[in-house]
Amino acid sequence: MSIGLPIPWAKAEFWGNEEKYLVDALRSSWISGGAYVEKLEAACAARIKAPHAFAVSNGTAALNLAYLALDIQPGDEIIVPGFGFMAAANVALQLHAVPVFCDVDPDAWCMRASDVAPLITSRTRAIVAIHTYGNMCGVDELVALGTQHGVPVIEDAAEAFGSKMGDAAAGSRGLINTFSFHATKTITTGEGGLVTTNDDALASKIRLFRSHGLRRERHYWHEIPGNNFRLTNLQAAIGVAQIEHIDQIFARRGAVYEQYTRRLRNIPGLQLQRLTPGCSPVIWAVAVKLEPAHYEQGRDAVMQQMAQKGIETRPGFQAPSEMHYFAPTHLPVSEELGRSVISVPSYPSLSELEIDFICNELANLSTSS
Ligand SMILES: Cc1ncc(COP(=O)(O)O)c(C=O)c1O
């Protein structure tokens, strides 16, 4: 078997009935709402063990819905990690709330309750736990801390569909939980997302906010100033087909992660993301931190060198202090991770040969050998 270059960083993959269900949805003429949306919600609810699951247009809309349901107001503070995708912080700003950044664990790259505790004030209205790259935050500790202060936890499990902490699925312990089904994610609907909650009253609010505050029984009567965050039946059809093969997807992702871990842990100058104790992850993206002593050219140069070899990589998430529109912060760990982390292709169909090739190239770029 040969290696096909370039190797992309991500690849949307189809496992069985995606095309069939998509055509079925199209021919049914139910292209907005429809039976596939309900099927996708039921399948996700069963996997996550969530009494209420709402398919939405993307993971950012899912966070927006969570904030609306929690009645986040201008000036409210929302604690978010300094290392992670900035959707939760961006949506907070759009609602004129204040993202309060928490630095992350230098090894697990996720937020810890012990770092969140000193940031809680009388204005704190939510803690957003982002399960970065598929590793998970210590959710029990965060929920216990939140409960102590009357602050809800939102799990942003966009990158962690399928990960578990003990027996609890990522996105099952927060008061509200959000997921993304973007093209690169563990399961995809192209663009798409999900919101779950165990709370009946919040579920009613989420249902209304998702669809302009409308109830089916009364046309054009808006109960609340909602939005349109709905997923289409066409997209949901793809998601239903993906869920049918979820165990196979998890197994392939697991094998890719396992092979990378075996190889990368022996390369000097690379630090793998350490799993939070108790976490059985479905890794979305395999990432390593480059130690400057071994990669003197710096992370961005390494990315370019990898690209020259035909391997697409991505940098770690940039810290909020790098972006002009966030208030100044000092987050030493997140800033360092933003400068030195690189993530490598991690999609399920990567072959052993390709993974070996990627690991060898990364090792060859070390300046200390
Ligand atoms: C942690 C996290 N939260 C939220 C999102 C936003 O999801 P979407 O791109 O579906 O809007 C992403 C997506 O990339 C993400 O990684």
Side-chain angles (χ1 to χ4, degrees):
M1 216 175 101
S2 64
I3 295 175
L5 294 177
I7 302 174
W9 182 77
K11 200 195 259 184
E13 298 189 323
F14 306 115
W15 298 81
N17 287 323
E18 282 87 348
E19 195 172 329
K20 181 172 161 208
Y21 293 169
L22 183 57
V23 171
D24 182 51
L26 192 73
R27 291 193 180 148
S28 75
S29 88
W30 287 90
I31 59 172
S32 174
Y36 283 111
V37 174
E38 283 159 31
K39 276 190 198 163
L40 179 65
E41 290 177 340
C44 291
R47 282 222 74 99
I48 302 159
K49 298 196 176 72
H52 306 285
F54 300 92
V56 293
S57 46
N58 54 63
T60 309
L63 285 160
N64 204 332
L65 260 180
Y67 292 168
L68 290 170
L70 292 175
D71 198 23
I72 299 297
Q73 293 295 315
D76 287 351
E77 294 176 2
I78 300 179
I79 299 178
V80 291
F83 183 74
F85 190 76
M86 286 292 142
N90 285 344
V91 178
L93 280 184
Q94 285 163 19
L95 296 179
H96 304 286
V98 180
V100 174
F101 289 101
C102 178
D103 217 351
V104 295
D105 180 320
D107 299 316
W109 311 349
C110 286
M111 203 164 72
R112 291 178 293 207
S114 54
D115 295 316
V116 171
L119 301 176
I120 294 180
T121 72
S122 59
R123 300 222 57 118
T124 308
R125 292 288 175 272
I127 299 166
V128 182
I130 301 183
H131 301 314
T132 289
Y133 294 136
N135 185 27
M136 289 180 65
C137 306
V139 187
D140 283 347
E141 294 80 358
L142 285 169
V143 169
L145 178 72
T147 306
Q148 195 188 328
H149 292 273
V151 176
V153 169
I154 299 169
E155 281 185 66
D156 179 351
E159 299 171 14
F161 191 86
S163 295
K164 284 185 171 175
M165 182 61 78
D167 288 335
S172 66
R173 300 273 287 110
L175 185 59
I176 303 182
N177 311 284
T178 65
F179 299 82
S180 165
F181 300 148
H182 177 256
T184 67
K185 294 296 192 294
T186 299
I187 61 163
T188 184
T189 56
E191 297 283 353
L194 190 82
V195 184
T196 65
T197 184
N198 295 350
D199 185 292
D200 296 345
L202 285 173
S204 303
K205 286 172 91 177
I206 290 168
R207 184 177 290 106
L208 281 174
F209 273 116
R210 177 176 64 166
S211 205
H212 278 298
L214 296 167
R215 285 193 201 281
R216 285 212 179 116
E217 311 84 64
R218 203 168 168 193
H219 283 301
Y220 302 125
W221 174 259
H222 303 268
E223 285 195 26
I224 52 170
N227 207 315
N228 177 357
F229 292 131
R230 298 183 301 260
L231 187 75
T232 67
N233 204 37
L234 297 171
Q235 293 165 298
I238 299 172
V240 169
Q242 298 254 303
I243 289 267
E244 285 176 351
H245 288 268
I246 195 74
D247 292 328
Q248 205 183 336
I249 297 173
F250 289 170
R252 275 302 311 152
R253 282 195 173 268
V256 166
Y257 175 58
E258 201 268 329
Q259 193 190 341
Y260 266 125
T261 312
R262 225 177 329 111
R263 287 294 319 275
L264 295 174
R265 76 155 72 96
N266 296 321
I267 300 176
L270 298 183
Q271 186 197 317
L272 278 152
Q273 181 182 27
R274 184 178 53 69
L275 297 177
T276 303
C279 176
S280 325
V282 174
I283 291 292
W284 166 62
V286 176
V288 283
K289 188 176 151 205
L290 306 177
E291 284 171 20
H294 293 261
Y295 288 89
E296 286 166 9
Q297 68 274 54
R299 191 270 321 276
D300 292 350
V302 170
M303 288 182 64
Q304 277 173 17
Q305 291 169 316
M306 293 290 277
Q308 281 157 10
K309 300 285 180 189
I311 302 161
E312 191 190 358
T313 57
R314 284 213 181 158
F317 299 101
Q318 306 292 336
S321 33
E322 303 290 330
M323 275 156 261
H324 66 94
Y325 59 88
F326 290 120
T329 49
H330 181 52
L331 303 159
V333 177
S334 302
E335 286 159 20
E336 197 196 333
L337 294 173
R339 277 192 301 271
S340 56
V341 165
I342 184 171
S343 68
V344 289
S346 314
Y347 50 88
S349 69
L350 270 181
S351 69
E352 288 190 14
L353 216 58
E354 287 168 326
I355 296 173
D356 271 344
F357 174 70
I358 294 166
C359 294
N360 288 340
E361 291 305 330
L362 206 47
N364 291 341
L365 294 176
S366 167
T367 46
S368 64
S369 49

